[in-house]
Amino acid sequence: MTSSREDPEILPDAAEDEPNLPVNPDSVNQQQPPTLLPLFDCVALDKLCHVAEMLQDRERQRIREEAEIAEKRRRWAEERAEAHRQYVFEVAKAYALELHSDQAPKSKDDDEEEEEVVKGKSRFDDAKKAIKKRRRYSSRSSDAPCGGIELSMTRHRTAPTLTELCMRVLAENSEAIESLHLVPDHLKKKISSLVSDSSKVDKAFMQLLVDDSPSEVSVKNCVDLEEEDLTQILSECDRVSLQVLNLDLCGRAMTENAITEFLKRSPYGFPSLTRLSLQGAFCLTDNALALISRSAPLLRVVNLCDCSLLTFQAVKILADYFGSTLRGLNIGGCQGIKPCDVFRTSLSRFEKLSSLSVAGLEGIHDVVVEFCTSRGSSLTDLSLASCVGVNDGTLWTAGRYCPNLEALDISELDSLTDASLKEITDGCRSLRSVKFTRNRFSDEGVAAFLEVCGGSINNLSLNNVRNVGQETAISLAKYCKRLHYLDLSWCRKLTEEELRQIMSCCSLLRSLKLFGWTQVTEDFLEDLSRSEVSIVGLKMTSLFAHPDDSYPSVDAKCF
């Protein structure tokens, strides 16, 4: 057998040089370590990962930018569509206003020009000067057509609704009504008004009104109620839900004894009552008012007109209980209230009073001046009708300190001159309802007032303002486009043609009073009878023909 040393192909050359070493038995069992593959470069791998992340970030950023661009385009399209809709609305509105001869909207430049006030200059004076210039060309003004609108003589007669017919039948047969259960409060109020006009309100009808837990009980004529009747009715009604209580002309029933007996039966009084009207309660005393005030902590509006037994203490009582909460107060015609320091101080304690009527009170000038100076900024309704002592100085204060007035009644004040009109015109720019009954204002003064403030007036009474004539008619026709109610009774300097122009241009006019008009022809009366406007006061017209067209009083919003 050939040895391995003799065959070089079997053993490597290096084995020849190795010495013969002893063999370790443990090394025979050990395996040789595996051969490792070459390692990747870690730095290059990190760079590749970083590049991949950058590419992903850029892709996400691109997607985000595309989404933002799409959102901007969507918003731009919506804004463009909304602007187009607004433009179409404004064009349609302007066309409708022009079509109906109403007051066109004013641009910003016009508003800035109107708001610009030149020191020492009055818009009333400017209007009066313009009227005087216009008078020089009166023939040209009178011949010019007013808006090109002819007086519509077509009267649209509408049949009464079934509800109206039913209410009339119920009012005519009120004594046969057994129940008003489930009848809404607003319909109960209308039925009560119709029954009151017929003077048929009695204990049985009052019981019908207070049944079924009403929130409002309104009766205009309670002359037939007795003390015991009123006590029983108030005790049996649901006073928790009652919020409005109007018991006008309840003179005999509303006494201190009746209120005391009522509180004995119902010690919690009227916990939810917010409005109370006791007009014409000639037996109501200061003590009775104190009992009512104590039992109705939430009162906000109080009408005590023509309560002749009340004194200045009544105002003090109301100020003690409701000085910081009362919103409306009517003490007109309360002849027992005389001006004094207590009355003046108590009136000034009403912090939030917005409606005040002191009509018919004497010597009220200083009280009104002090109240307007301290609280006039919150007043919206003010009635000074028939107040002896009110003069131009009083109206100067009202014009200066009551800029938010919306309703003003200065009827039957002979001492007022055009100076009062000037202060009202320049100071009170928000007037909606104005009564100038039986004043001595000039034709130019009334016309200037209407030129400045006529665009916002809805209700206007010029009853027995004897100087009203052509200039006032022109201003009415040209500027008073929002008039709903107009009283021109006893304005005998106005002509038939001027009245025709007024009715032609005041397209929103609903009711027109013309008592004392003898300067119209029979043909014109026949035309008026076919007009859309309700005419009251002319020959052969009934006073009760249009009961729903009564003129809203100055305190109508509260009382």
Side-chain angles (χ1 to χ4, degrees):
M1 181 177 179
T2 305
S3 64
S4 60
R5 179 174 294 274
E6 292 177 359
D7 190 357
E9 297 179 358
I10 297 176
L11 295 174
D13 294 339
E16 297 179 356
D17 299 331
E18 292 181 356
N20 293 326
L21 297 176
V23 179
N24 188 1
D26 297 333
S27 63
V28 176
N29 298 328
Q30 291 180 357
Q31 297 179 358
Q32 293 297 327
T35 304
L36 298 177
L37 297 174
L39 298 176
F40 290 103
D41 190 354
C42 295
V43 177
L45 183 61
D46 291 341
K47 289 183 178 180
L48 288 174
C49 293
H50 181 66
V51 170
E53 290 178 357
M54 288 179 60
L55 293 175
Q56 290 180 353
D57 291 341
R58 289 180 180 178
E59 182 66 17
R60 285 194 294 266
Q61 181 68 21
R62 185 185 64 80
I63 296 174
R64 191 182 301 112
E65 290 177 353
E66 290 180 355
E68 291 178 356
I69 292 173
E71 180 66 18
K72 289 180 180 180
R73 289 177 178 176
R74 185 186 65 81
R75 292 180 181 178
W76 178 80
E78 291 180 354
E79 292 176 357
R80 185 176 180 181
E82 180 63 26
H84 179 69
R85 285 194 296 268
Q86 186 67 23
Y87 170 75
V88 172
F89 173 77
E90 293 295 337
V91 172
K93 182 179 179 181
Y95 175 74
L97 291 172
E98 182 180 358
L99 182 63
H100 293 283
S101 299
D102 204 349
Q103 188 177 16
K106 298 179 181 179
S107 63
K108 293 182 178 180
D109 296 337
D110 295 335
D111 293 339
E112 292 177 358
E113 291 178 1
E114 288 187 359
E115 293 176 359
E116 184 179 357
V117 178
V118 181
K119 187 175 181 180
K121 210 170 184 181
S122 168
R123 295 184 64 188
F124 178 84
D125 291 337
D126 294 342
K128 203 169 182 180
K129 291 178 182 178
I131 290 170
K132 290 181 178 179
K133 292 181 180 179
R134 184 174 67 194
R135 172 165 287 186
R136 299 174 185 174
Y137 306 96
S138 58
S139 59
R140 185 183 307 174
S141 300
S142 60
D143 294 339
C146 186
I149 305 175
E150 296 181 356
L151 179 59
S152 175
M153 294 301 176
T154 303
R155 191 163 191 170
H156 301 283
R157 298 182 181 273
T158 57
T161 63
L162 181 59
T163 302
E164 294 174 347
L165 292 175
C166 291
M167 288 192 296
R168 293 176 187 176
V169 173
L170 288 174
E172 292 174 358
N173 303 275
S174 59
E175 64 279 355
I177 301 176
E178 295 184 359
S179 175
L180 292 176
H181 184 62
L182 298 181
V183 176
D185 287 347
H186 69 281
L187 293 183
K188 283 185 179 180
K189 185 177 180 180
K190 292 182 179 180
I191 296 173
S192 173
S193 178
L194 293 174
V195 176
S196 297
D197 292 338
S198 303
S199 300
K200 298 171 62 176
V201 176
D202 54 10
K203 179 182 177 181
F205 182 76
M206 288 293 299
Q207 193 65 46
L208 295 173
L209 293 179
V210 300
D211 287 343
D212 200 22
S213 303
S215 62
E216 178 177 357
V217 176
S218 298
V219 184
K220 298 190 299 182
N221 189 349
C222 304
V223 294
D224 293 331
L225 294 182
E226 302 290 343
E227 290 185 27
E228 182 59 30
D229 298 338
L230 182 62
T231 302
Q232 182 179 352
I233 291 168
L234 294 180
S235 301
E236 294 178 357
C237 73
D238 185 0
R239 295 171 302 281
V240 176
S241 61
L242 189 61
Q243 299 179 5
V244 179
L245 180 60
N246 296 335
L247 298 176
D248 295 340
L249 304 182
C250 57
R252 295 186 299 172
M254 189 61 64
T255 62
E256 185 176 348
N257 294 332
I259 299 301
T260 303
E261 184 63 25
F262 159 70
L263 292 177
K264 287 181 181 179
R265 301 181 188 181
S266 307
Y268 294 103
F270 303 98
S272 304
L273 194 65
T274 58
R275 297 190 176 209
L276 176 64
S277 178
L278 300 176
Q279 181 177 351
F282 54 80
C283 290
L284 185 68
T285 62
D286 295 340
N287 293 334
L289 181 62
L291 294 174
I292 295 174
S293 302
R294 190 180 302 117
S295 64
L298 298 183
L299 272 181
R300 297 294 179 269
V301 178
V302 180
N303 182 9
L304 302 174
C305 180
D306 297 323
C307 296
S308 54
L309 292 185
L310 295 181
T311 66
F312 65 89
Q313 290 294 339
V315 183
K316 183 178 183 300
I317 291 169
L318 294 176
D320 292 338
Y321 284 99
F322 314 109
S324 60
T325 58
L326 198 68
R327 300 298 180 90
L329 176 61
N330 186 349
I331 52 176
C334 297
Q335 299 301 324
I337 298 179
K338 304 296 181 182
C340 61
D341 293 339
V342 176
F343 175 47
R344 183 184 300 107
T345 305
S346 300
L347 195 63
S348 299
R349 289 169 58 190
F350 294 111
E351 301 174 1
K352 299 181 180 180
L353 201 64
S354 61
S355 179
L356 174 64
S357 175
V358 292
L361 300 188
E362 298 180 358
I364 205 72
H365 166 75
D366 295 337
V367 178
V368 173
V369 167
E370 182 173 339
F371 179 79
C372 290
T373 303
S374 58
R375 306 292 185 188
S377 59
S378 61
L379 269 184
T380 58
D381 296 22
L382 178 63
S383 177
L384 303 175
S386 305
C387 289
V388 178
V390 171
N391 52 34
D392 291 338
T394 312
L395 272 298
W396 179 89
T397 305
R400 186 177 182 86
Y401 294 100
C402 305
N404 299 316
L405 274 183
E406 297 179 2
L408 178 64
D409 186 355
I410 51 175
S411 302
E412 300 183 6
L413 299 176
D414 293 338
S415 60
L416 298 184
T417 65
D418 286 356
S420 296
L421 282 180
K422 174 183 175 182
E423 301 303 332
I424 296 171
T425 305
D426 293 336
C428 306
R429 301 292 180 84
S430 304
L431 286 173
R432 301 289 184 270
S433 177
V434 182
K435 294 186 71 174
F436 291 155
T437 304
R438 293 183 182 176
N439 284 326
R440 298 182 178 180
F441 299 136
S442 67
D443 186 24
E444 295 85 356
V446 176
F449 166 78
L450 294 177
E451 286 199 9
V452 178
C453 301
S456 62
I457 293 179
N458 298 326
N459 310 311
L460 176 64
S461 175
L462 299 176
N463 188 325
N464 221 330
V465 182
R466 301 296 182 89
N467 295 324
V468 163
Q470 179 186 9
E471 302 302 331
T472 299
I474 295 174
S475 296
L476 278 171
K478 189 175 182 180
Y479 298 99
C480 300
K481 304 297 185 180
R482 299 179 183 271
L483 268 181
H484 293 167
Y485 303 94
L486 177 61
D487 189 354
L488 296 177
S489 300
W490 305 101
C491 297
R492 292 183 170 177
K493 290 185 178 181
L494 293 175
T495 64
E496 177 182 312
E497 183 60 30
E498 290 165 352
L499 180 61
R500 186 183 294 272
Q501 289 184 357
I502 293 172
M503 296 180 65
S504 298
C505 296
C506 300
S507 58
L508 300 180
L509 194 62
R510 300 177 186 173
S511 181
L512 177 64
K513 286 187 178 181
L514 296 175
F515 288 98
W517 269 63
T518 58
Q519 63 270 35
V520 290
T521 62
E522 294 295 335
D523 294 338
F524 186 61
L525 288 177
E526 185 177 353
D527 292 341
L528 288 179
S529 65
R530 297 193 300 269
S531 172
E532 296 179 0
V533 181
S534 299
I535 308 297
V536 181
L538 280 180
K539 183 180 178 181
M540 302 302 292
T541 60
S542 173
L543 294 178
F544 304 101
H546 310 284
D548 295 334
D549 294 331
S550 58
Y551 290 73
S553 61
V554 166
D555 48 15
K557 290 190 297 183
C558 286
F559 309 117

